[in-house]
């Protein structure tokens, strides 16, 4: 990998690592009485290791100019591997905390292993670790192919990828030590947040620089979605994380906002993290990998454009539906509800596009589990967005809010849409990247598909049941006008569903592990190298796969 | 077309898309969030509302650190069953000193907005130490180590200062005595106890929350925080009373 | 500068919806304009065209 870097690029990489190491050292000094010191040490060690890694190949012969005739795919390859590692960790921790709700003593009796600290480890690992790395890796891949241009340099993509993973690592280790802002999906503290801004700005500039090298004037729609993902996440991240640290040597900070303003800002962020991280980015992925895998263009390019602007505009209004019947002014709640309902239009435009693109190629869907992953993702996307709009209606929300129904809804989107489209795209992309005829084992892909699908279905049915039952029990009155059930009564009723949920999660986790193993074998086992060792993906492969599976 | 012109067109398109995305995406947040910063002009104020004592603030930080907000809301909605179960619905003004707010999004456990003084200190200590000792079917984790961990107080003044910077009215006097006040609040027989009531009001709860006056533990802080929840102001009770009187 | 709460709320409720209508119309017109059809169809097919590598 390092042999691909020119001498100048190797020097830059070492300089950047040294600067980060220095920052880590300063944090270690300033935070010596605080958990922040441990983070300083972590940053320092990681950067020093990086310097040694680059230094070890410093005198390797410089790369030939031949490299410029190919796309620069090393960061995408590494990104996909890291993404799968986060998937296994994140799904594993998620299932662990699910079992903790079945048996709360499944901890080690220590702070780090309790539910409250592990839950953000789960959410961050799957959303930012698994999802974020998959987005970065595929965005580099898609950006280069759709622009027909190579990335402009070979250092900044690595900075984005490793810098981003440093962010994830600081976030997750922070929660275990008790470093958190308590803002859901924005838990990392101020210095981690500032670091992400640096990485994110580099990411966006890299995107624009590559686009400026493209061959044709039109920018393919996938890039629109990826750009909206990068840009809007930056805006959300910066505003929601405005805070004053206790001191430069303290990890702890206090949010600039309080009370109702903070609640609105947080859910403006929270809901749009769903919109622009978990939707826009993955739609970008879908609009490239689905047509490529199916070997046919997207059904309606126009619909993809309407969907794009609809999502970009509508979503930003919808966050207040998280605050129905609270101390937030009612007109804001009503706006949130209205726009949540309108969101159904652009959302279903994209979901419909998936199915209509596959219309006429159902034989491929039947035979190719990778394409089936993408199709099921489209169906769950349609389902999740319908359910989301439904739950944003005030009267429905009065029942569903604070219950497991919300958790179920999130997982329709997260397991059914985000994870499925990611697995599908990765299974399509891995053989193309490593120039293989197909995945190491198509049977394992098939097994993964059924595990993922059954795990998701069990999970969401369990949560629908428990959520609706709990919501109804909370509001049931006796004939004499008093509440019929105590809170503890509802806990007893939840128990069987918590077991079912943990089992569903376990199936999904096993599927993820099979996927990681299969990808690893595809990379490491030589032999099935593709004949067409060109740089472009092979849409026809889906057909070849079919033949191979017979 | 010259190469320069082609390039220019390419870049203009990418930048145009960037601006378009920002223009489309910023509106929703702006119009929903900006008016909230002028909201104090319309909602009822709570003149007698006090700030968290250093001990309660430290407890709040432990609540945040342990992720309690993931399972407990602090927001009673304006629904009949919410009010019947948890007390008068929450007002915006009640969390005006909460940086950040802890309204929560999930009730795996019950709402805590008005938990203060509903249970005894002993109950809280036993419950936090092992929830299943008092609620056999509880799924809450045990927080046994809180009783054994001493509370860090040497930097509490910095915490109060940072709070003041984001708008919480802590006085110089409060900041200078932060560490001592934390100690004194859980040690009502100590000579410094008068200082706490002087600075935070007579209604401030002064008790050895964890049952051990000699030691200031994280349990002291967390229980002190739980016992003050919903009690910084009585605005919500008043507002409900006037609403009922009107009917 | 003192901004009236009522003014801000009024502005939010009216301007936002006005913006919504204008933007929706503009986007639909842009996407559906017959003269754009060729460009969009070409764009949809462009990713499937086989080219052997980056042009630069």
């Amino acid at each position: 990998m390092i042999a691909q870097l020119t001498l100048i690029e190797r020097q830059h990489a070492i300089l950047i690592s040294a600067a980060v190491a220095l920052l880590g050292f300063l944090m270690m000094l300033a935070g010596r009485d605080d958990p922040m010191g441990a983070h300083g040490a972590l940053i320092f060690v990681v950067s020093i290791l990086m310097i040694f890694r680059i230094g070890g190949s410093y005198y390797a012969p410089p790369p030939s100019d031949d490299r410029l005739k190919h796309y620069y795919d090393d960061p995408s390859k590494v990104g996909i591997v890291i993404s799968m590692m986060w998937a296994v960790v994140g799904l594993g921790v998620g299932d662990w905390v699910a079992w903790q709700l079945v048996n709360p003593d499944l901890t080690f009796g220590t702070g780090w292993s309790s539910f409250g600290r592990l839950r953000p480890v789960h959410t961050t690992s799957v959303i930012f670790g698994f999802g974020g790395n998959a987005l970065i890796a595929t965005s580099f891949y898609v950006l280069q192919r759709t622009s027909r241009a190579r990335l402009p340099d070979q250092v900044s993509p690595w900075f984005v990828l490793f810098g981003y993973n440093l962010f994830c690592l600081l976030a997750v280790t922070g929660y275990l030590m008790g470093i958190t802002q308590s803002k859901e999906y924005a838990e990392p503290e101020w210095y981690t947040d500032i670091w992400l801004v640096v990485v994110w700005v580099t990411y966006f500039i890299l995107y624009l620089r590559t686009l400026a090298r493209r061959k044709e004037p039109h920018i393919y729609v996938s890039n629109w979605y990826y750009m909206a993902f990068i840009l809007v996440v930056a805006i959300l991240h910066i505003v929601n994380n405005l805070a004053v640290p206790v001191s430069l040597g303290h990890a702890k900070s206090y949010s600039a906002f309080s009370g109702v303003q903070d609640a609105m800002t947080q859910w403006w962020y929270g809901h749009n993290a769903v919109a622009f991280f978990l939707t826009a980015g993955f739609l970008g992925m879908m609009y490239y990998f689905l047509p490529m895998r199916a070997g046919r263009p997207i059904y309606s390019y126009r619909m993809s454009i309407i969907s794009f602007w609809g999502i970009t505009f509508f979503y930003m209004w919808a966050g207040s539906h998280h605050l129905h019947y609270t101390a937030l002014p009612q007109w804001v709640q009503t706006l949130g509800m209205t726009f949540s309902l309108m969101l159904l239009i652009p959302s279903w435009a994209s979901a419909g596009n998936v199915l209509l693109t596959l219309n006429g190629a159902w034989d491929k869907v039947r035979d190719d589990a990778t394409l089936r992953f993408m199709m099921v993702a489209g169906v769950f996307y349609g389902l999740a967005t319908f359910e989301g709009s439904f739950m944003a209606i005030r009267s429905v929300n009065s029942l569903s809010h604070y219950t497991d129904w919300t958790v179920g809804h999130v997982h329709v989107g997260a397991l059914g849409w985000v994870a499925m489209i990611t697995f599908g795209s990765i299974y399509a992309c891995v053989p193309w990247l490593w120039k293989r005829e197909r995945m190491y084992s198509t049977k394992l892909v098939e097994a993964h598909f059924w595990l993922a699908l059954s795990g998701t279905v069990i999970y969401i049915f369990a949560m629908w049941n428990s959520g609706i039952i709990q919501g109804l029990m909370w509001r049931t009155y006796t004939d004499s006008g008093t509440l019929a059930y105590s809170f503890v009564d509802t806990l007893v009723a939840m128990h069987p569903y918590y077991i079912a949920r943990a089992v569903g999660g376990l199936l999904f986790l096993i599927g993820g592990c099979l996927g990681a193993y299969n990808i690893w074998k595809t990379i490491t086992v030589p032999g099935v190298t593709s004949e067409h060792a060109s740089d472009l993906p092979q849409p026809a492969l889906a057909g070849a796969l079919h033949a191979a599976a017979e | 077309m010259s190469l320069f012109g082609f390039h220019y067109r390419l870049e203009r398109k990418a930048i145009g898309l960037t601006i378009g995305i920002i223009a489309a995406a910023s509106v929703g947040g702006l119009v929903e969030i900006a008016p909230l910063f002028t909201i104090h002009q319309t909602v009822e104020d709570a003149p007698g509302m006090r700030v968290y004592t250093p001990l309660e603030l430290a407890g709040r930080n432990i609540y945040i650190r342990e992720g309690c907000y993931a399972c407990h809301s602090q927001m009673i909605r304006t629904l009949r069953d919410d009010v019947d179960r948890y007390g008068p619905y929450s007002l915006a003004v009640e969390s005006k000193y909460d940086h950040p707010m802890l309204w929560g999004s999930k009730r795996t456990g019950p709402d805590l907005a008005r938990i203060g003084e509903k249970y005894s200190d002993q109950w809280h200590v036993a419950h936090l130490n092992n929830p299943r000792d008092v609620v056999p079917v509880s799924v809450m984790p045990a927080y046994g180590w809180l009783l054994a961990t001493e509370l860090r107080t040497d930097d509490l003044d910095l915490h109060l200062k940072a709070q003041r910077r984001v708008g919480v009215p802590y006085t110089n006097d409060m900041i200078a005595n932060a560490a001592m006040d934390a100690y004194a609040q859980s040690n009502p027989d100590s000579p410094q106890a008068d200082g706490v009531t002087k600075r935070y009001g007579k209604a401030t709860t002064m008790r050895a929350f964890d049952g051990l006056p000699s030691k200031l533990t994280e349990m002291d802080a967390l229980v002190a925080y739980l016992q003050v929840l919903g009690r910084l102001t009585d605005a919500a009770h008043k507002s409900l009373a006037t609403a009922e009187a009107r009917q | 500068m003192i901004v009236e709460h009522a003014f801000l709320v009024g502005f939010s409720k009216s301007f936002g919806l006005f913006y919504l209508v204008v933007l929706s119309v503009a986007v639909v017109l842009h996407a559906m304009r017959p003269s754009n059809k060729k460009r969009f169809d070409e764009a949809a097919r462009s990713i499937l065209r086989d080219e052997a590598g980056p042009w630069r």
Side-chain angles (χ1 to χ4, degrees):
Chain A
M1 262 175 337
I2 293 156
Q4 278 279 311
L5 303 184
T6 62
L7 191 63
I8 278 271
E9 286 172 332
R10 287 172 209 175
Q11 288 165 354
H12 284 169
I14 290 178
L15 278 179
I16 293 170
S17 309
V20 177
L22 180 68
L23 271 178
F25 187 72
L26 291 176
M27 274 174 65
M28 208 157 73
L29 277 186
R32 61 193 174 281
D33 300 327
D34 194 83
M36 183 181 170
H39 266 165
L42 179 70
I43 296 173
F44 182 73
V45 169
V46 168
S47 330
I48 295 292
L49 285 177
M50 189 70 93
I51 293 176
F52 273 104
R53 178 81 176 77
I54 306 162
S57 310
Y58 186 79
Y59 292 108
S64 74
D65 282 348
D66 204 37
R67 75 183 188 285
L68 300 175
K69 290 193 194 118
H70 301 280
Y71 295 116
Y72 190 43
D73 285 335
D74 287 356
S76 298
K77 290 180 177 177
V78 174
I80 283 178
V81 172
I82 298 177
S83 169
M84 289 308 294
M85 284 159 51
W86 278 112
V88 172
V89 171
L91 295 172
V93 175
D95 203 44
W96 181 11
V97 294
W99 286 109
Q100 282 189 353
L101 288 179
V102 176
N103 176 2
D105 290 320
L106 284 174
T107 68
F108 297 105
T110 51
W112 70 267
S113 61
S114 72
F115 184 93
R117 294 202 196 174
L118 285 178
R119 182 209 179 236
V121 172
H122 161 62
T123 54
T124 299
S125 302
V126 291
I127 298 174
F128 298 111
F130 169 50
N133 275 296
L135 284 173
I136 291 175
T138 57
S139 74
F140 289 158
Y141 184 91
V142 172
L143 171 64
Q144 294 185 86
R145 266 90 187 158
T146 52
S147 306
R148 308 204 195 280
R150 195 175 198 269
L151 292 174
D153 76 296
Q154 301 188 121
V155 174
S156 50
W158 289 115
F159 177 76
V160 172
L161 185 68
F162 288 140
Y164 180 75
N165 279 287
L166 181 60
F167 160 80
C168 295
L169 195 63
L170 289 177
V172 166
T173 54
Y175 311 148
L176 296 176
M177 295 189 284
I179 302 175
T180 171
Q181 290 193 114
S182 82
K183 293 193 155 202
E184 284 182 74
Y185 319 112
E187 291 94 344
E189 271 293 357
W190 60 277
Y191 51 92
T192 315
D193 290 335
I194 294 175
W195 174 248
L196 184 64
V197 173
V198 175
V199 171
W200 221 240
V201 169
T202 315
Y203 188 17
F204 190 66
I205 293 175
L206 177 64
Y207 221 92
L208 286 184
R209 282 164 69 209
T210 313
L211 279 180
R213 293 159 60 87
R214 72 190 185 277
K215 194 175 181 185
E216 284 157 50
H218 186 80
I219 302 174
Y220 184 68
V221 73
S222 280
N223 293 312
W224 303 22
Y225 284 97
Y226 279 121
M227 278 170 80
F229 145 64
I230 304 171
L231 260 179
V232 182
V233 166
I235 298 173
L236 298 166
H237 173 76
I238 291 170
V239 174
N240 189 41
N241 284 304
L242 290 174
V244 173
V246 170
S247 84
L248 288 181
H250 276 81
K252 173 83 190 160
S253 70
Y254 289 104
S255 169
F257 309 109
S258 73
V260 64
Q261 293 98 336
D262 191 41
M264 186 61 234
T265 311
Q266 157 60 23
W267 288 111
W268 166 77
Y269 167 91
H271 196 70
N272 288 296
V274 174
F276 290 90
F277 208 101
L278 296 177
T279 305
F282 291 92
L283 282 173
M285 206 185 257
M286 184 276 281
Y287 275 116
Y288 182 80
F289 287 101
L290 176 75
M292 291 310 279
R293 184 70 184 190
R296 38 172 47 206
I298 195 75
Y299 171 76
S300 168
Y301 198 78
R302 290 171 152 170
M303 222 145 81
S304 74
I305 291 175
I306 293 175
S307 162
F308 174 80
W309 290 110
I311 282 174
T312 309
F313 184 70
F314 291 165
Y315 253 113
M316 293 301 248
W317 299 71
S320 51
H321 70 224
H322 288 252
L323 300 167
H324 278 327
Y325 297 100
T326 67
L328 184 78
Q330 190 167 348
W331 65 269
V332 189
Q333 300 179 21
T334 310
L335 270 183
M337 169 177 131
T338 316
F339 276 81
S340 305
L341 288 171
M342 287 195 289
L343 256 177
L344 199 56
I345 302 164
S347 302
W348 274 26
S350 277
N353 231 341
V354 174
L355 297 179
L356 290 168
T357 301
L358 291 172
N359 196 15
W362 295 116
D363 57 321
K364 284 187 186 171
V365 178
R366 187 191 62 208
D367 298 330
D368 179 11
T370 303
L371 206 53
R372 221 178 307 130
F373 262 115
M374 299 185 194
M375 183 210 75
V376 169
V379 172
F380 273 111
Y381 179 60
L383 189 65
T385 48
F386 174 76
E387 190 189 25
S389 299
F390 182 63
M391 288 168 76
I393 300 171
R394 267 166 70 87
S395 49
V396 179
N397 193 270
S398 72
L399 177 76
S400 74
H401 197 49
Y402 296 131
T403 73
D404 284 319
W405 191 354
T406 308
V407 181
H409 168 62
V410 169
H411 283 83
V412 176
L415 301 177
W417 154 241
V418 175
M420 297 272 195
I421 192 68
T422 307
F423 287 134
S425 301
I426 288 181
Y427 281 137
C429 197
V430 163
W432 297 337
L433 271 173
W434 273 274
K435 317 261 190 279
R436 301 286 193 264
E437 191 85 53
R438 57 177 169 274
M439 289 297 296
Y440 168 74
S441 162
T442 38
K443 284 211 180 76
L444 279 180
V445 180
E446 193 71 39
H448 182 187
F449 172 80
W450 289 110
L451 280 168
L453 182 61
S454 52
T456 306
V457 169
I458 293 173
Y459 191 111
I460 61 183
F461 270 96
M463 290 293 93
W464 278 336
N465 276 305
S466 96
I468 293 171
I469 289 174
Q470 192 170 36
L472 289 174
M473 285 176 84
W474 282 345
R475 59 162 62 167
T476 303
Y477 280 85
T478 59
D479 291 338
S480 55
T482 54
L483 290 166
Y485 300 102
S486 73
F487 195 91
V488 169
D489 292 336
T490 68
L491 276 183
V492 178
M494 301 298 92
H495 192 72
Y497 301 110
Y498 282 173
I499 297 175
R501 180 253 300 269
V503 169
L506 185 63
L507 295 181
F508 204 90
L509 168 66
I510 295 171
C513 294
L514 291 185
Y517 170 79
N518 199 3
I519 289 166
W520 188 245
K521 288 303 243 187
T522 310
I523 297 168
T524 51
V525 175
V528 277
T529 308
S530 165
E531 291 163 21
H532 346 259
S534 93
D535 268 11
L536 260 208
Q538 305 296 326
L541 267 190
L545 250 181
H546 175 198
E550 298 286 296
Chain B
M1 196 189 296
S2 76
L3 197 64
F4 175 77
F6 181 61
H7 244 284
Y8 175 72
R9 210 152 65 91
L10 283 184
E11 272 164 32
R12 199 182 50 181
K13 209 159 191 165
I15 302 286
L17 187 57
T18 304
I19 294 169
I21 292 171
I22 293 175
S26 350
V27 188
L30 272 180
V31 305
E32 288 187 359
I33 296 173
L36 298 180
F37 284 91
T38 58
I39 200 170
H40 56 269
Q41 295 172 2
T42 56
V43 297
E44 66 281 5
D45 199 12
M49 183 167 171
R50 78 162 170 87
V51 295
Y52 292 110
T53 65
L55 187 66
E56 290 154 6
L57 184 69
R60 190 170 198 271
N61 288 341
I62 294 168
Y63 184 97
I64 289 173
R65 181 186 80 193
E66 300 303 338
C68 306
Y69 59 86
C71 296
H72 294 283
S73 59
Q74 289 186 20
M75 171 48 62
I76 302 169
R77 295 174 295 173
T78 54
L79 297 166
R80 180 183 163 205
D81 55 297
D82 255 34
V83 172
D84 283 349
R85 192 179 294 277
Y86 301 115
Y89 57 81
S90 302
L91 302 181
V93 68
E94 289 181 277
S95 47
K96 72 171 173 178
Y97 295 144
D98 284 8
H99 295 262
M101 56 85 208
L102 294 171
W103 290 11
S105 60
K106 177 74 174 67
R107 286 180 185 155
T108 305
D111 186 276
L112 300 182
R114 307 212 182 282
I115 197 73
E117 301 297 340
K118 262 195 191 165
Y119 298 86
S120 67
D121 293 344
Q122 290 87 331
W123 186 91
H124 276 299
V125 173
H127 181 249
L128 285 164
N129 193 52
N130 183 14
R132 277 153 295 289
D133 286 348
V134 280
V135 184
V137 299
S138 168
V139 292
M140 185 169 125
Y143 292 95
W145 66 90
L146 293 177
L147 206 50
T149 315
E150 274 193 58
L151 184 71
R152 185 180 172 188
T153 55
D154 63 310
D155 59 351
L156 276 176
D157 53 338
L158 293 175
H159 283 263
L160 261 55
K161 252 190 210 161
Q163 284 264 310
R164 183 159 75 178
R165 211 162 296 150
V166 293
V168 184
Y170 282 106
T171 63
N172 288 337
D173 197 25
M174 289 169 170
I175 291 172
N177 293 292
M180 207 172 62
D181 285 350
Y183 164 79
Q185 192 183 351
S186 73
N187 204 342
D189 298 329
S190 66
Q192 293 91 347
D194 287 345
V196 180
T197 41
K198 196 183 87 202
R199 281 182 278 277
Y200 297 92
K202 285 212 178 59
T204 310
T205 313
M206 314 269 292
R207 287 196 300 255
F209 295 96
D210 64 354
L212 310 162
S214 57
K215 218 169 133 196
L216 183 57
T217 62
E218 295 196 332
M219 185 68 88
D220 273 314
L222 186 55
V223 175
Y225 171 63
L226 291 173
Q227 294 291 33
V228 83
L229 278 176
R231 297 179 58 250
L232 291 177
T233 168
D234 54 1
H237 296 269
K238 274 186 191 154
S239 141
L240 196 70
T242 41
E244 274 165 6
R246 236 182 268 138
Q247 277 169 6
Chain C
M1 189 181 72
I2 298 163
V3 188
E4 281 289 321
H5 182 66
F7 167 76
L8 270 184
V9 172
F11 181 76
S12 291
K13 288 197 230 177
S14 55
F15 169 75
L17 298 177
F18 172 74
Y19 195 91
L20 161 77
V21 172
V22 172
L23 195 87
S24 307
V25 171
V27 167
V28 171
L29 281 183
H30 170 72
M32 289 305 178
R33 210 163 82 201
S35 65
N36 277 342
K37 181 172 169 36
K38 220 184 99 202
R39 197 152 63 92
F40 291 151
D41 288 348
E42 169 59 22
R45 273 194 308 272
S46 71
I47 55 165
L48 293 162
R49 219 170 31 224
D50 206 353
E51 271 182 49
W55 80 307
R56 63 171 173 171

